[in-house]
Amino acid sequence: MAEIGELLVSAVAAGSIYGLMALAYLLIIRPTGVINFALGEWAMLGAFAAVALGSDLLIPALHLPHVFSFVLVVVVIGLLAAMTEILTVRPLIEKGAPILSPVLALLGVLVISLQVGTLAGGTEALPTPPPFGFRRVEMGFLAGTPQAFYIIAVTCVVFAFAWFFFERTVWGKRFEAVAINRRAAALMGINLRAVGLLAFVGAGIVCGIVGVLAAGASGAFYQMGLPLAIQGFTALVIGGVGRVEGALLGGIILGVIEALAARYLPIPSSLVLGVPLILLILFLLVRPTGLLRSKEDMV
Amino acid sequence: MTVEPISGTTRRSFVAASIVTAMLAVGGTATAQDTIKIGVITDETGRAAFYAKPVTQGVELAAKEINAAGGVLGKKIELVIEDDSAKPDVSATKARKLVDAGVVAIISNSSSPATQQAQSVSLATKTPHITPANSGETLATKLDNPYFFQLGPLASTQIKTLMSYTRSKKFKRVAVVGDNSGLSKIIAGVFEKSLTANNIDVVVSQIIPIGSRTAVPQMQKVRAENPEAIFQAGIVGPQMAQFFQAYHQLGMKQPILASFNLSIPAYLKVAKDLMEGVAFIDAYDPAKERTKQFIELYKKEYGSVPFSLPGYGYDGLYFVVDALKRAGSVDKEKLRAAMASTKGWSNVMGARGATVNLSEKDRRGFDPEGAVVRLIQDNNHGPAVHSGTK
Amino acid sequence: MRNLFSWFAALVGLSAIAFAMSSYHLELYQKLLLVVILAIGFNFLFGICGQIAFSHVAFYGIGAYAVVILTFKLGWPLAAGIAGGIAISAALALLVAIPTTRLEGFYLALATLAFAQLFLVVVGAGGELTGEDEGISGYALPDFFGIPLTGAAYTPVIVFVLLVTLALILRLDRSYFGRSCRAIRDNPDAAQAMGVDVARTKIVVFVLTSTLAAVAGMSYAFVNNFISPPIFDLERIFELLFMIIIGGTGRHAGAIIGAVLLFSVQFAVEPFVGKFHTLIYGCVVLLVILFAPKGLMGVWDAMIAGRRNRDVGA
């Protein structure tokens, strides 16, 4: 059945993007408890940066090969995230402000990022050349664009790295410790500031990656941030905040359900929009902690 | 229930609020009588910005050219430009602001719903109001507003032109695809109605939601129905790119016939090499003499080649100015009457031989025979291959 | 009697100003009053009761659409349309509130955000009934004893809704209910331990403030006699949130001042900063959260306290 193969690839590619956004949220939420709504706009900025660096649009003089523009975008958004953490989130957390304050401050950052992106990037959809071109690629019964397979591959690498980071490295353990009990972690000598900064930089890097991948798929667009933000936390809610694998699982599930609904649900096309929203509401009501339980819950 | 007394702070805040609003109320506007003010409502950063900005650019170009030639009625034109971010309620507020600022007419370049709501103001204040590019089917009829004139090509005109272009193919089963933006849904709705009325069966109709990452499920649904042609009513960039990617990736071969949205060259960038042979509606024929002059003027001013959108804006201002000349005064009633009696006017937009005609009964000026069909060739907009609905 | 008199004086005063304004400023003024109504209600929900709900503007829209659809699409008499609208809004609010009371902080925000988006999807797919993206227009209120309720003459209606909303919120705030709400905001577990029915209080607050927002929406529907989905966009709830934050979260005066300031300044500075005004807003909000977290009211309080200290010291 060629159809299922095509549908699966595009659904998993979409789900990969959702999963990456969910991962970005998770990286910040776990150690700091802060939900950063500005992540969608950071991905948008990453996408425009990818266009500026990797194509002859926006900045014609800069037209770098994909690898270089990829790395540079990731560095730029990572720096943006670091700046945000140092200037807006850290002062609030250290002042002892209620957890809501950083969230609201990040809403301000959302608005600022959105406006800067729109004014700098313009209102057209701008692409960056997909590193592997465009055509129909078939792998067994699966079929999709090279970009779709590329997105899935990059996502696997990112999640593998994230899993390795949390499971096998000291810094990952520190993150977990801070997530479980902030005060105890501080008492044990863990540098809360460093963890916080690393959390944001990690999220920024992931958003930059999303931006590069999206720019090569359907272009950078000034209004792409909000849908990404919503898709991201929908995936997070479905998969569960507790584990990195949850973010990927949630993303894939969201992508697949969306695709199946759009393809097979016998309702008018304009109502299919409601499916992800209903899915989100259902999970929030029935199982807000998501499908995968975090380690501490399972103990 | 006893009514609580107003607290001290609340009373203070009322005072503060009253002072601020009083300041707003007092602010007057000095009217310079040596220019003719024409208001423009556009979108700079909202969801309609990608088509409103180029249209407004056309208006500005026309103003520059007209003023260089001495203006109209002995005075220079002064454009008063307001941004509504495609928010209909803000559009109405900006329309009021323009009227208070003393404009003789309003040009609405933002989204169709925004233009619709701005009409409540043009009607109430009896101000001539035009939209050069909006194609919303009921814009000129929903609110019985004798001050409003629509110059953009109606969706019904567009589909009729496409149908006449493909008449020889005798399509019986077609698909309509768009996105969920307001404009696209309106165009898709009109397309479906017209096709069905002409005994062409719309076997499948799909919407690609804004924010989607792929159009494969929707296009698979289209492919499964095996239509003979696909009518494209979409407008949002990324979704258009996804449509073309899915179309090719799924190995589809049906001819694609698109609305006037594809006359915006931006898609040629984001769906590069994927749009070969696509037919689209335009109101802009680069081979027309008057259009050639416009192209030269635009190239000199901006250093790039124009397309339909600046042309609409350019014509919009020229239309207002022509009506002013015929009215012989800046009196809003006379201007409105002159607009309503426009006959046989033509400028940059429209097929060769097409004219703008308005009347009290029908304030939609675009010539029903004035749309052209163009093909995309070599990642560029090719010449017009068909015009009108015959 | 004196209390009632000051409210009546406010009604007359706030309405009378309208007649002295040009049509542009009148339009701004009426929209400003409506934003203030939303801010007062939202401040109670978010600032005083600590519920982060992003559905306030959606209920504004539900009220507007309900009254217009019932009265002008289904032909009900206006009074029935208004009553029906209130009933529908309250019912929907209840439907949203009951399952979400169990949700903490951000989950409530997400659920209400999803609800707000769902509202837009439903309106966008509602066909002739909701007008979809073109909206509904061409309707109007019947004359009030021969006076057409348009323009400045409509202002008393909005002012009335504003004052009723304010009176209700003030009354609630000063009662046991208000104290319960604050307790829930500051420490839900302690509140529960002290005997506050946390779940029930949250539900009541949500339903009440959402219904008040819906009534404001009904008032909105007749300002321009036009409603369409982009008016009730997600951006609007962020703007509302910023107004509360800048004015002073949890303070009624803060909500009013924040709303007046952010709304008016937007139009006042536009000639100078043009399309950058939203960017400036974002920066201001950020600065306020970082350096003046109690908002303008906090700054005001500090100034007064400072003056008092100086007086005492001398």
Side-chain angles (χ1 to χ4, degrees), chain A residues 269-281:
Chain A
S269 209
S270 50
L271 284 177
V272 175
L273 282 169
V275 168
L277 294 171
I278 293 178
L279 201 60
L280 173 61
I281 291 174

Side-chain angles (χ1 to χ4, degrees), chain B residues 3-4 7 21 24 27 44 47 87-89 93-94 96-97 100 113 116-117 138 142 182 185-186, chain C residues 7 22-25 27-28 31-32 124 133-135 137 174 220 224 226 228 233 235-236 270 275 300:
Chain B
V3 179
E4 290 289 334
S7 81
T21 40
L24 281 180
E44 283 284 320
R47 65 181 62 160
K87 294 189 183 134
D89 52 337
T93 305
K94 297 297 170 132
R96 283 227 184 256
K97 188 177 181 190
D100 279 7
Q116 178 74 56
Q117 186 151 19
T138 55
K142 195 177 221 173
K185 279 159 65 172
I186 295 172
Chain C
W7 285 99
S22 66
S23 65
Y24 169 58
H25 292 130
E27 171 117 351
L28 285 184
K31 294 195 170 149
L32 171 63
D133 286 85
E134 292 183 71
S137 64
R174 282 159 201 179
Y220 171 79
N224 288 133
F226 179 91
S228 76
D233 221 1
E235 276 182 54
R236 289 277 151 92
E270 224 194 333
K275 51 190 175 178
W300 173 265

Side-chain angles (χ1 to χ4, degrees), chain C residues 72-289:
Chain C
F72 301 102
K73 291 271 179 184
L74 298 181
W76 292 18
L78 181 63
I82 294 177
I86 294 180
I88 292 175
S89 310
L92 280 171
L94 202 62
L95 201 63
V96 173
I98 293 178
T100 56
T101 40
R102 301 180 293 120
L103 297 178
E104 289 305 318
F106 311 132
Y107 289 124
L108 176 64
L110 297 186
T112 48
L113 203 147
F115 174 76
Q117 290 287 85
L118 207 53
F119 163 66
L120 293 174
V121 169
V122 168
V123 170
E128 260 306 300
L129 192 65
T130 63
E132 293 195 359
D133 286 85
E134 292 183 71
I136 309 179
S137 64
Y139 56 86
L141 281 174
D143 289 355
F144 185 71
F145 297 117
I147 311 174
L149 285 172
T150 52
Y154 185 63
T155 317
V157 174
I158 305 178
V159 176
F160 179 72
V161 173
L162 168 62
L163 294 175
V164 166
T165 303
L166 184 61
L168 235 117
I169 296 284
L170 284 175
R171 183 90 180 82
L172 274 174
D173 191 27
R174 282 159 201 179
S175 66
Y176 171 74
F177 187 78
R179 290 196 288 280
S180 309
C181 288
R182 284 175 211 274
I184 293 174
R185 174 192 64 189
D186 297 332
N187 193 333
D189 296 324
Q192 186 79 50
M194 288 200 299
V196 171
D197 187 342
V198 173
R200 196 169 141 261
T201 310
K202 281 195 205 177
I203 292 175
V204 171
V205 169
F206 188 84
V207 173
L208 198 65
T209 51
S210 301
T211 310
L212 285 172
V215 172
M218 292 184 196
S219 317
Y220 171 79
F222 300 105
V223 171
N224 288 133
N225 287 332
F226 179 91
I227 50 175
S228 76
I231 299 172
F232 309 105
D233 221 1
L234 215 56
E235 276 182 54
R236 289 277 151 92
I237 192 75
F238 291 159
E239 285 172 16
L240 205 55
L241 194 56
F242 293 168
M243 289 171 182
I244 306 290
I245 294 173
I246 292 179
T249 315
R251 309 285 297 270
H252 307 292
I256 296 174
I257 291 180
V260 170
L261 210 59
L262 258 68
F263 186 84
S264 335
V265 163
Q266 176 183 50
F267 293 98
V269 303
E270 224 194 333
F272 311 116
V273 301
K275 51 190 175 178
F276 294 98
H277 72 93
T278 319
L279 180 59
I280 294 178
Y281 267 24
C283 294
V284 170
V285 163
L286 203 52
L287 291 170
V288 165
I289 295 176

